[in-house]
Amino acid sequence: MKTLILGDLSPTDTTNPMFKKQDITGLFYDVVSLFDGNDINFVNLECALTDHDKSIEKFGPPLKACKEVADVLKSIGVTVCGLSNNHIFDYGIKGALDTMKELDRCNIPYTGFGKNYEDSRKNWYFEKDGEKIAIIAVCEHEFSYALENRMGSRPWDEFETLDDIREAKKEADRVIVIYHGGKELCGYPSPRLRKACRAMVKNGADLVVCQHSHCIGSYEEFEGSHILYGQGNFHFIKPSFVNFPDIWYSCLALKYDTKTNEVEFIPVSNFKDGIAIAKGEEKDKLLAEFEKRNSDLQNGEWLNKWRELCLSMKENYITKAKCAQDLTMEEIAASWFAHYLDCEAHMDVWKELFKTANHRNEM
């Protein structure tokens, strides 16, 4: 089966009017050709499709877009949307219900979201010509994840997600895991994330794709399966809340042939207010940088790069810890620390920066 996996899509102040007008050419240029001839076209929808104005309590910007986004996704050939991410619940239950209503209106299936934690653990299956594919979409613990008694995204669980993968493998020929997590703007996985992705492979995943980092990461083949640690943004152009690092502007479209178990990476980059398939020197540069990170992953240099990133954020993490013990702080500010304890990516940084005495003990 031919599959196309694409990362984060979130209209911005710049592009939302284009989505509303359904300007396919201006938004996607030649990228629409990548959707042709595939059996599955997956996109992570990282915003609510709603007119609702009240956002949830959270850190970072709440993201929403017009309902016509669903029509655009249908027009370009999206066959399933991932809703397991840290922004789909930005406008609460109303925003989530509006989003699902619009996807239903356009007959676009979605996965990675449920009315409670157990319901969110439903896999998405697709069958054709005697072959069955499972997609399991999970996210780290950031704001949107489902609770025992509240709707939300399907959260990663170091025990139950592995159980879910094993069960899916019993009935599916291939299992694809979409993992929404990892440290933002980091081209390498944390040590924990690499172990987690490899554990998913050992439990039956044929392809693991990490999204959320907003940059192209690194790749490895492991025990005959594929792991991409960071796909980059698919369509997330000129958001008003970041300073636009260069790495924000590109992504890898991933084509996966489930019959041959082969993957192909196609660089895509921003073009004006849309995106286009990278060509010429730009394509060569993106692929060369990708290959360098892949090499770093194998020779151990990635650990140095990971530590460098963590050290660059040390003061921020110290500040958040101080907020937790400062009784004069507003409750929302003090809860920063709780959020850092809740989210796997933040805990990865915390453990790298503040190691226990055991790491220094020798005899």
Side-chain angles (χ1 to χ4, degrees):
M1 218 177 283
K2 307 294 185 183
T3 69
L4 174 69
I5 308 294
L6 291 163
D8 305 343
L9 181 144
S10 182
T12 63
D13 291 343
T14 298
T15 60
N16 195 54
M18 300 172 69
F19 277 94
K20 194 169 186 63
K21 292 189 297 184
Q22 301 183 44
D23 181 3
I24 304 298
T25 300
L27 288 167
F28 297 99
Y29 292 88
D30 57 354
V31 173
V32 293
S33 66
L34 299 179
F35 290 79
D36 295 339
N38 304 318
D39 301 292
I40 298 172
N41 290 315
F42 176 97
V43 168
N44 172 55
L45 178 61
E46 193 160 19
C47 67
L49 306 184
T50 184
D51 293 325
H52 190 50
D53 290 328
K54 186 173 177 57
S55 61
I56 61 171
E57 177 184 309
K58 66 175 297 183
F59 303 112
L63 303 179
K64 69 175 181 177
C66 62
K67 66 180 182 180
E68 287 82 5
V69 171
D71 298 279
V72 171
L73 295 177
K74 187 68 174 181
S75 295
I76 64 176
V78 172
T79 60
V80 57
C81 277
L83 302 185
S84 188
N85 58 65
N86 58 309
H87 284 287
I88 195 65
F89 200 67
D90 278 1
Y91 286 83
I93 293 174
K94 178 66 166 63
L97 292 175
D98 287 347
T99 303
M100 292 183 283
K101 176 182 177 182
E102 296 305 325
L103 294 175
D104 287 339
R105 176 178 62 80
C106 292
N107 295 312
I108 301 176
Y110 44 86
T111 187
F113 198 92
K115 60 187 179 182
N116 53 45
Y117 172 65
E118 285 302 324
D119 188 56
S120 75
R121 292 173 65 193
K122 294 178 180 177
N123 305 330
W124 185 79
Y125 292 96
F126 184 80
E127 295 185 66
K128 182 180 178 182
D129 298 332
E131 188 180 9
K132 189 173 185 178
I133 307 301
I135 291 182
I136 297 175
V138 296
C139 65
E140 292 184 348
H141 289 73
E142 281 202 279
F143 307 113
S144 291
Y145 62 92
L147 304 176
E148 297 298 334
N149 59 353
R150 195 210 66 203
M151 67 166 57
S153 294
R154 180 180 189 169
W156 154 259
D157 184 277
E158 59 184 316
F159 306 110
E160 292 183 315
T161 299
L162 298 183
D163 291 341
D164 294 343
I165 293 170
R166 285 195 301 273
E167 290 302 309
K169 191 63 175 179
K170 291 178 182 178
E171 55 180 303
D173 298 284
R174 297 288 185 189
V175 176
I176 299 171
V177 178
I178 309 296
Y179 181 98
H180 196 86
K183 191 58 187 159
E184 292 176 309
L185 304 180
C186 182
Y188 302 90
S190 68
R192 176 206 60 86
L193 180 55
R194 194 181 192 194
K195 286 182 180 180
C197 291
R198 286 182 162 196
M200 288 188 270
V201 166
K202 289 179 179 179
N203 281 273
D206 299 284
L207 171 66
V208 180
V209 182
C210 298
Q211 300 176 342
H212 174 70
S213 63
H214 304 300
C215 67
I216 298 173
S218 45
Y219 159 83
E220 68 176 337
E221 184 175 340
F222 179 70
E223 295 190 358
S225 296
H226 308 278
I227 308 174
L228 178 61
Y229 301 101
Q231 190 172 14
N233 294 318
F234 171 45
H235 207 293
F236 204 158
I237 297 172
K238 300 179 182 177
S240 59
F241 51 85
V242 297
N243 292 322
F244 313 133
D246 289 344
I247 54 178
W248 185 281
Y249 290 106
S250 57
C251 77
L252 292 177
L254 191 161
K255 287 199 169 188
Y256 177 50
D257 189 321
T258 61
K259 284 291 188 182
T260 64
N261 194 35
E262 294 178 346
V263 294
E264 178 186 5
F265 299 110
I266 304 166
V268 174
S269 59
N270 288 186
F271 179 71
K272 296 183 180 178
D273 292 333
I275 58 174
I277 298 173
K279 302 176 181 65
E281 292 182 2
E282 182 181 22
K283 174 184 177 181
D284 294 341
K285 179 176 181 290
L286 290 172
L287 288 177
E289 292 171 345
F290 181 52
E291 289 300 327
K292 174 62 167 61
R293 289 190 295 274
N294 299 345
S295 177
D296 289 345
L297 197 61
Q298 300 307 316
N299 64 28
E301 180 61 20
W302 69 285
L303 287 170
N304 295 327
K305 300 292 186 182
W306 164 251
R307 180 154 182 80
E308 286 176 13
L309 178 80
C310 293
L311 287 171
S312 72
M313 297 182 289
K314 187 171 184 177
E315 288 305 314
N316 174 59
Y317 279 77
I318 291 174
T319 299
K320 298 304 185 292
K322 290 179 178 178
C323 288
Q325 62 181 10
D326 187 347
L327 298 180
T328 67
M329 298 289 288
E330 294 290 337
E331 183 177 353
I332 183 66
S335 64
W336 264 112
F337 186 59
H339 169 56
Y340 275 23
L341 294 179
D342 199 23
C343 174
E344 291 84 350
H346 288 303
M347 279 300 295
D348 290 345
V349 177
W350 190 262
K351 289 181 178 180
E352 180 65 35
L353 291 174
F354 306 102
K355 294 183 181 297
T356 66
N358 187 59
H359 289 84
R360 300 186 296 273
N361 289 339
E362 294 182 7
M363 293 295 294

